Amino acid sequence: MKVLIAASEAVPYAKTGGLADVVGALLKEHRKAGREAYLFLPLYRGIKERFSLEDTGRKVTVPIGGRRISGRIFSHEGVAFFVECDEFFGRSELYGTPEGDYADNSSRFIFFDRAVLEACKALGLRPDVIHCNDWQTGLLPLYLKTIYSSDFFRGTVTLMTVHNLGYQGLFEARDYALTGLPPELFNPEGPEFYGKVNFLKAGLIGAEIITTVSETYAREILTAEFGSGLEGVLMKRASDLHGVLNGIDYEEWDPGRDSLIDSVYSPSDLSGKASCKRALLKECSFSGNDRKAPVMALVGRLSAQKGLDILVEAADDIVSMGAKIIILGRGEEEIHKSVTAAAGRHKGRIFLKVGYDESFAHRIYAGSDMFLMPSIYEPCGLGQLAAMRYGGLPVARRTGGLADTVEEYEPLKGLGTGFLFDDYRAGSLRECVRLAMCAYTDTARWNGLLRRAMEKDFSWGSSARKYYGLYKAALARKRRQL
Ligand code: ADP
Ligand code: GLC
């Protein structure tokens, strides 16, 4: 079975968030298990600068409205393929800048989706399964059901993974003409969405199988609260919708042999974690006599989804309880401002770094005691998985993948791997932090929780097998139909 994973980002090539980690790790796991899997990505400027790629000598041409746009196909180690088109992808960012999205994102990803299919033909690579990820690859399933339903792709099935329903690829109706899809499909049963064109919806309609990244989120998105207007479409497809939990790459995230952290450690010898904390306190210019204070961290996109407004509101109380807060992230301009103001009010108690910094992220996971994830919604979340692996206990809202991966602290039994709250309110977050700080004062108890968190298994093996099972089921169904 040939599996082709199409995505707009993947580690180690390009990353803005968890999508890249998941796509990169899933590809790696499929290959490790001996499955024939390939990756397709846009060739962004950063990839060109950092990797030495082979030119396959194949070229593709895609009509976008009245224009015909060409791109060349490059490859890396025979596994990853890249669509080069500097007009669209030769830029510093993937989707836009803090001021907003690139204005031509619809053309960029119409081009990419069609270019992937054209490249398959040009390379003679006939996929059995195309695994699509998020709105950027949402048109692919519908293309396969319409203009590409020809012989070459007759046996191909698609699986559409929703990593985040908050981003749908919603564009003005006039952009529909650029897709080249049949005009009569632009209706509420098709990719039309309240007068606009919705790329993710195209994927939800066209794909044989739909997945999302946790069981809880798979249930949540069938409701108006979490469905972002697509709950009706998802309800119709409920029997083909599955939750497959994300993992993290255990080779990359391993406190026992991480070269980016101050000292390595393991559940049976935690002394290295104390050194990591000392080093982190120093790096953030927190004074040495703060060693006993719990360090709480947040590493993530600074977007409304991540609950930064209630964190900023609760921050005064949290620091006055004696905790230190470290925030690493970048994202929306408004949120940069409010977080910067909070850090300014509490110099020496809140440390903020606005930016993207992979190696600092590792040092934060290793040196902190708790990990803050007060998300409004969270399809899965990888931050809490990395934190647990490094012995940081999540303080998180009970939603989506956070509910599925954090085992709630039970004060009477001293069990659990983290702390959960329900109401999206600063007061609920504050009380949850208070409970965590109370548990933290009992070192023996805390170390018990921490070891339990470190020993949880969030590696990719079983989830990658689940995807493979879904590919097989979809193919078997398709073959019965042919
Ligand atoms: P999302 O995909 O919604 O952004 P996840 O929790 O699934 O959230 O994944 C985020 C991933 O990106 C984690 O691996 C996290 O460590 C990493 N990350 C996010 N922001 C930064 C940053 N500013 N610097 C370094 N790593 C980051
Ligand atoms: C998204 C979600 C996050 C998830 C990630 C990878 O961006 O916000 O919860 O872990 O995708 O699936």
Side-chain angles (χ1 to χ4, degrees):
M1 188 197 301
K2 273 196 183 60
V3 179
L4 190 160
I5 304 179
S8 55
E9 52 183 277
V11 163
Y13 303 108
K15 168 167 167 177
T16 67
L19 169 64
D21 293 301
V22 169
V23 172
L26 180 63
L27 174 75
K28 193 166 153 189
E29 187 66 34
H30 278 333
R31 304 230 34 128
K32 212 167 80 188
R35 301 172 196 136
E36 192 181 352
Y38 302 95
L39 170 69
F40 266 82
L41 283 182
L43 185 49
Y44 302 110
R45 189 159 82 201
I47 305 179
K48 260 191 176 172
E49 288 165 357
R50 289 182 299 114
F51 290 86
S52 114
L53 307 177
E54 298 104 54
D55 188 344
T56 66
R58 300 290 193 280
K59 204 173 133 188
V60 296
T61 300
V62 168
I64 306 265
R67 298 177 62 199
R68 292 180 66 75
I69 299 182
S70 296
R72 283 190 305 163
I73 309 301
F74 286 78
S75 75
H76 190 228
E77 294 171 345
V79 174
F81 291 88
F82 300 88
V83 179
E84 184 201 48
C85 175
D86 283 342
E87 174 186 345
F88 286 149
F89 306 123
R91 305 180 187 181
S92 60
E93 301 293 332
L94 272 53
Y95 317 121
T97 63
E99 285 78 54
D101 291 344
Y102 290 134
D104 57 352
N105 273 349
S106 60
S107 299
R108 295 172 79 220
F109 290 100
I110 290 168
F111 173 77
F112 176 66
D113 287 9
R114 289 192 72 161
V116 168
L117 298 175
E118 294 295 338
C120 287
K121 292 204 275 185
L123 295 162
L125 180 74
R126 193 192 301 271
D128 296 292
V129 179
I130 303 185
H131 185 158
C132 305
N133 294 278
D134 277 354
W135 72 263
Q136 293 89 343
T137 50
L139 294 176
L140 267 162
L142 202 55
Y143 279 138
L144 283 177
K145 287 260 174 335
T146 53
I147 34 186
Y148 289 87
S149 62
S150 67
D151 278 352
F152 191 83
F153 293 110
R154 232 166 68 92
T156 304
V157 295
T158 52
L159 182 145
M160 180 83 227
T161 298
V162 178
H163 295 265
N164 194 332
L165 211 54
Y167 301 84
Q168 301 182 358
L170 205 53
F171 301 101
E172 294 304 323
R174 61 172 178 273
D175 288 4
Y176 185 73
L178 306 177
T179 65
L181 287 163
E184 63 277 11
L185 274 190
F186 191 66
N187 65 54
E189 299 299 308
E192 189 264 352
F193 187 73
Y194 300 101
K196 296 196 170 188
V197 48
N198 185 321
F199 285 16
L200 182 62
K201 189 180 174 202
L204 300 179
I205 292 163
E208 268 72 23
I209 302 276
I210 302 167
T211 68
T212 186
V213 288
S214 69
E215 297 271 359
T216 295
Y217 194 59
R219 287 192 300 275
E220 286 173 341
I221 57 178
L222 299 177
T223 66
E225 186 185 351
F226 293 95
S228 303
L230 287 174
E231 58 277 9
V233 178
L234 286 159
M235 268 309 259
K236 277 197 198 146
R237 303 271 345 246
S239 61
D240 295 319
L241 170 65
H242 305 263
V244 181
L245 194 66
N246 286 338
I248 50 172
D249 181 343
Y250 268 36
E251 286 172 13
E252 194 193 328
W253 299 104
D254 181 359
R257 55 176 175 167
D258 189 332
S259 60
L260 299 170
I261 62 177
D262 187 77
S263 306
V264 294
Y265 57 96
S266 66
S268 58
D269 179 7
L270 292 169
S271 54
K273 181 149 178 89
S275 312
C276 290
K277 180 168 174 179
R278 276 195 299 278
L280 181 66
L281 288 170
K282 197 162 162 222
E283 185 170 0
C284 298
S285 310
F286 291 152
S287 61
N289 56 14
D290 285 339
R291 226 172 280 166
K292 288 226 162 65
V295 172
M296 311 191 169
L298 185 149
V299 177
R301 286 183 296 114
L302 300 185
S303 89
Q305 176 198 340
K306 301 294 176 182
L308 285 139
D309 55 348
I310 60 169
L311 177 59
V312 166
E313 203 184 323
D316 294 356
D317 288 340
I318 295 176
V319 295
S320 67
M321 286 186 238
K324 304 281 168 192
I325 302 178
I326 298 174
I327 299 174
L328 166 64
R330 63 168 189 182
E332 295 158 18
E333 197 71 46
E334 275 305 297
I335 299 180
H336 288 180
K337 280 192 201 138
S338 68
V339 178
T340 305
R345 279 199 304 277
H346 298 288
K347 287 219 174 67
R349 294 193 285 185
I350 299 183
F351 178 87
L352 165 70
K353 176 165 179 179
V354 174
Y356 186 86
D357 186 340
E358 194 81 44
S359 102
F360 188 34
H362 280 247
R363 295 196 297 280
I364 293 177
Y365 286 119
S368 54
D369 302 298
M370 297 167 204
F371 194 75
L372 298 163
M373 255 175 121
S375 309
I376 298 178
Y377 71 95
E378 196 60 71
C380 179
L382 302 177
Q384 83 279 16
L385 304 184
M388 284 190 271
R389 179 108 165 107
Y390 282 73
L393 303 189
V395 172
R397 189 156 170 263
R398 195 192 321 269
T399 183
L402 294 168
D404 293 355
T405 56
V406 180
E407 199 188 302
E408 189 170 19
Y409 172 54
E410 289 181 62
L412 293 179
K413 296 187 190 144
L415 296 178
T417 63
F419 306 86
L420 295 168
F421 65 99
D422 291 286
D423 293 337
Y424 188 75
R425 284 193 298 114
S428 307
L429 168 60
R430 187 187 56 223
E431 291 317 306
C432 193
V433 166
R434 198 189 298 285
L435 179 63
M437 286 184 63
C438 186
Y440 181 78
T441 55
D442 180 343
T443 308
R445 167 171 289 230
W446 187 262
N447 285 344
L449 300 174
L450 183 158
R451 287 199 182 91
R452 197 182 168 84
M454 287 181 79
E455 281 163 353
K456 283 257 156 184
D457 184 3
F458 294 111
S459 58
W460 263 103
S462 83
S463 293
R465 271 195 302 279
K466 273 190 199 148
Y467 279 119
Y468 201 67
L470 291 171
Y471 304 155
K472 280 208 285 204
L475 267 178
R477 198 163 73 187
K478 174 100 179 190
R479 284 182 185 146
R480 282 196 299 274
Q481 286 162 3
L482 283 179

